[in-house]
Amino acid sequence: MAELFASTTMATIIASLILLLVPTSYSSPFITYGSRDSPIPQSDIDLLEFPLNLEYLEAEFFLYGSMGQGLDSFAPNLTMGGPRPLGAKKANLDPYTRDIIKQFAWQEVGHLRAIKNTVQGFPRPLLDLSTKSFAKTMDAAFGKRLSPPFDPYASSLHYLIASYVIPYVGLTGYVGANPKLQAAASKRLVAGLLAVESGQDAVIRGLLYEHALIRLHPYGITVAEFTNRISDLRNKLGQEGIKDEGLVVPEKLGAEGQVRGNVLAGDEYSVGYARTPEEILRIVYSSGNESTPGGFYPNGADGRIAKAYLQHS
């Protein structure tokens, strides 16, 4: 008992000393993110608001996919009165996958809160999460019309392939935004968002990699080929070279040129790729043009950056 007391006392002393050594400027992870009273330059505000477009998309897709309802049911204040998404519905998921997607869903709700605690934000834009929207993306990826049309809500594997389309685009945006930010609060927020978005993408890729050689019924196309085609499409739409890679790549593109398996995407140094807002708009609009809305955003994205391009269209 005496040894336990001594050990506990020593742990308390050490913990107290560590706290004394922590700089007063340290931002505790338990402190609520952001404050609109903090001095954040307009350029930071624009870069922090832009990803709300993708966070809205992810939140609605994961909420509906796992629980059959979206932000209007679970966090209506976060929508700021924006229109309900088109075509979103509960997916036919196995219990394990549903549990993971449900976790992702609530994480995305947290991301929306974190950003809006820092900047004002904007209402949820019109999102097209219909089967038809995803089917068009898959048809574009393969350069032909798949028959039957791809249905992201049909099964766990269908849904995971559809999920492959989404978080990765957002995380490359965070990688691209981070060096452009000026305020410490902005950098801390984006680093935290990037950490979780990267985790989501890693989980999705890991689950898909386990089934990489399985042929998706009824197309007879492997899961790996789906991811490769989707990545190729995003590279084509982004128009800035290779910033996207599927689950199986030529060995020269694998880590250190040693492997073909590609469970995590990265450049020649296995460092995450970066994208600009312009590249992201070209991809999520499915148009290859940041001034031409479409795809998941029929009326275009919101925020000063996106609106500037819409005004030029």
Side-chain angles (χ1 to χ4, degrees):
M1 192 67 172
E3 291 179 357
L4 176 61
F5 177 77
S7 176
T8 304
T9 301
M10 181 58 68
T12 302
I13 293 171
I14 292 173
S16 300
L17 289 172
I18 291 173
L19 288 174
L20 288 173
L21 291 171
V22 174
T24 56
S25 62
Y26 173 74
S27 177
S28 167
F30 300 105
I31 295 176
T32 302
Y33 272 103
S35 168
R36 292 188 204 165
D37 297 327
S38 301
I40 296 178
Q42 185 61 53
S43 59
D44 278 19
I45 293 174
D46 293 345
L47 289 169
L48 293 176
E49 286 192 332
F50 179 78
L52 279 172
N53 290 292
L54 294 171
E55 298 291 357
Y56 275 127
L57 179 68
E58 294 173 40
E60 295 290 16
F61 185 59
F62 292 145
L63 284 169
Y64 272 99
S66 61
M67 294 179 278
Q69 300 179 79
L71 288 170
D72 291 290
S73 297
F74 298 114
N77 61 307
L78 292 177
T79 71
M80 298 173 68
R84 289 175 178 266
L86 304 173
K89 61 183 180 180
K90 191 173 184 178
N92 181 28
L93 305 177
D94 61 75
Y96 180 73
T97 305
R98 187 177 305 283
D99 178 50
I100 290 173
I101 300 303
K102 187 175 180 180
Q103 292 177 50
F104 287 178
W106 288 114
Q107 290 165 7
E108 295 305 329
V109 173
H111 290 180
L112 289 170
R113 293 191 196 281
I115 295 173
K116 292 187 177 193
N117 282 345
T118 306
V119 295
Q120 183 175 347
F122 47 77
R124 173 185 55 196
L126 181 63
L127 303 169
D128 188 352
L129 297 174
S130 65
T131 298
K132 185 177 181 180
S133 178
F134 280 95
K136 284 183 178 180
T137 298
M138 295 303 172
D139 289 350
F142 282 92
K144 65 179 182 180
R145 184 167 296 181
L146 297 183
S147 182
F150 181 86
D151 181 356
Y153 304 103
S155 72
S156 293
L157 205 48
H158 284 75
Y159 191 84
L160 288 171
I161 290 172
S163 298
Y164 179 88
V165 174
I166 300 173
Y168 181 74
V169 176
L171 78 86
T172 58
Y174 284 132
V175 174
N178 200 45
K180 300 176 183 177
L181 296 170
Q182 301 178 49
S186 304
K187 295 178 181 179
R188 173 70 182 91
L189 173 60
V190 165
L193 292 167
L194 175 58
V196 176
E197 292 290 334
S198 299
Q200 290 179 355
D201 183 64
V203 170
I204 291 167
R205 292 179 72 100
L207 292 172
L208 289 172
Y209 190 73
E210 185 179 0
H211 301 92
L213 300 182
I214 290 179
R215 296 184 180 276
L216 186 69
H217 180 77
Y219 309 109
I221 301 170
T222 66
V223 169
E225 182 65 11
F226 267 97
T227 65
N228 291 342
R229 293 297 187 113
I230 293 167
S231 288
D232 288 345
L233 175 64
R234 291 191 295 215
N235 285 328
K236 178 182 177 181
L237 292 172
Q239 302 175 27
E240 292 294 339
I242 295 178
K243 295 191 176 182
D244 219 303
E245 298 170 344
L247 293 175
V248 179
V249 296
E251 193 170 283
K252 65 179 181 179
L253 294 179
E256 293 298 300
Q258 299 296 314
V259 290
R260 297 191 63 217
N262 198 44
V263 72
L264 296 179
D267 65 13
E268 61 181 314
Y269 303 108
S270 293
V271 174
Y273 291 106
R275 282 192 171 109
T276 64
E278 292 78 12
E279 291 172 68
I280 291 172
L281 291 172
R282 294 169 199 158
I283 293 168
V284 299
Y285 286 172
S286 298
S287 65
N289 187 328
E290 58 268 36
S291 299
T292 305
F296 296 115
Y297 299 86
N299 297 337
D302 208 336
R304 279 166 51 100
I305 294 176
K307 281 185 173 181
Y309 289 105
L310 292 177
Q311 291 170 358
H312 295 155
S313 61

